[in-house]
Amino acid sequence: SAVDIVTIPRGAGNQRLQLGLNLSTTNDGDAYYGVLGRWTIQPLNPSAGEFRVTTEIGTNLILDLEWMQPLGTTGAFFIESGLNYTEQTVPVNVGDIRLAERRDNSAAARLIFGREFGRWGVAEIGAHALTLDSDILVGDTFGLGTQSGDYLGVSGRFAIDTFNSPSFPIRGQLLDLQLEGYGSMDGDDEATQAQLILASAQTLGPIAT
């Protein structure tokens, strides 16, 4: 005789809560603090979706909602969507002279399509919408540093990561190339940004570098 066992996967899987504290200071004497929190549900559905809420409360206020959904049977392709709200204090300097401090309030939405390459790489393209409002807290910018407006943008990323550990790697390499372009909806402002990170970990006898 044979026994058939049928299992029904749960609609929502493990839930994880992480808490932390961020304290930092700069050479200019600016001090920042924040209480960090992250709540993750994975898997969110039978297709291994993941939902994440990230917050920071302190000098800056951040609330980020993210949903990452693998596609297909292998899960190599994925869609990531998210909403973000940020209140951030930004110094306005000219050289070593502090002219003012402003408060940037922003709300953003993103939609990213990507593909993972095993455990060593990822490629992404994304579309972004952002609304930004800047208020001067202290001082006078004389027209510098204000960035209020509505923006649309695109992004691209390609990364190779063969580190054996995300925290303290002792072997492997990292290449992370990110490109972003934004334009205001009224057509007055445009900005592009490129970032390239290269790193390598190796051991010299018993010492890791």
Side-chain angles (χ1 to χ4, degrees), residues 20-115:
L21 180 65
N22 179 27
L23 300 173
S24 63
T25 185
T26 67
N27 294 331
D28 297 326
D30 299 316
Y32 301 91
Y33 73 93
V35 178
L36 311 177
R38 176 175 291 174
W39 176 46
T40 304
I41 303 177
Q42 185 189 37
L44 180 65
N45 52 42
S47 300
E50 177 177 324
F51 178 71
R52 178 179 299 172
V53 180
T54 303
T55 62
E56 178 177 343
I57 301 175
T59 306
N60 301 321
L61 174 62
I62 299 174
L63 174 62
D64 188 84
L65 308 179
E66 180 183 76
W67 173 36
M68 200 281 287
Q69 182 62 58
L71 302 175
T73 56
T74 63
F77 292 92
F78 65 89
I79 290 178
E80 175 192 330
S81 58
L83 299 173
N84 178 279
Y85 178 78
T86 301
E87 295 182 7
Q88 183 177 16
T89 300
V90 179
V92 181
N93 297 335
V94 175
D96 296 330
I97 301 176
R98 174 69 54 86
L99 294 182
E101 288 185 358
R102 72 171 192 257
R103 190 72 170 178
D104 286 351
N105 302 329
S106 66
R110 63 185 182 274
L111 180 63
I112 297 172
F113 176 76
R115 188 189 193 285

Side-chain angles (χ1 to χ4, degrees), residues 80-167:
E80 175 192 330
S81 58
L83 299 173
N84 178 279
Y85 178 78
T86 301
E87 295 182 7
Q88 183 177 16
T89 300
V90 179
V92 181
N93 297 335
V94 175
D96 296 330
I97 301 176
R98 174 69 54 86
L99 294 182
E101 288 185 358
R102 72 171 192 257
R103 190 72 170 178
D104 286 351
N105 302 329
S106 66
R110 63 185 182 274
L111 180 63
I112 297 172
F113 176 76
R115 188 189 193 285
E116 293 183 341
F117 301 94
R119 295 188 174 184
W120 58 267
V122 64
E124 299 175 349
I125 57 173
H128 306 261
L130 169 70
T131 181
L132 175 64
D133 181 63
S134 296
D135 295 319
I136 302 302
L137 298 178
V138 179
D140 192 342
T141 65
F142 302 101
L144 299 174
T146 56
Q147 301 180 14
S148 298
D150 299 321
Y151 300 85
L152 296 176
V154 294
S155 66
R157 178 178 180 237
F158 178 72
I160 298 174
D161 185 350
T162 60
F163 282 161
N164 67 311
S165 168
S167 302

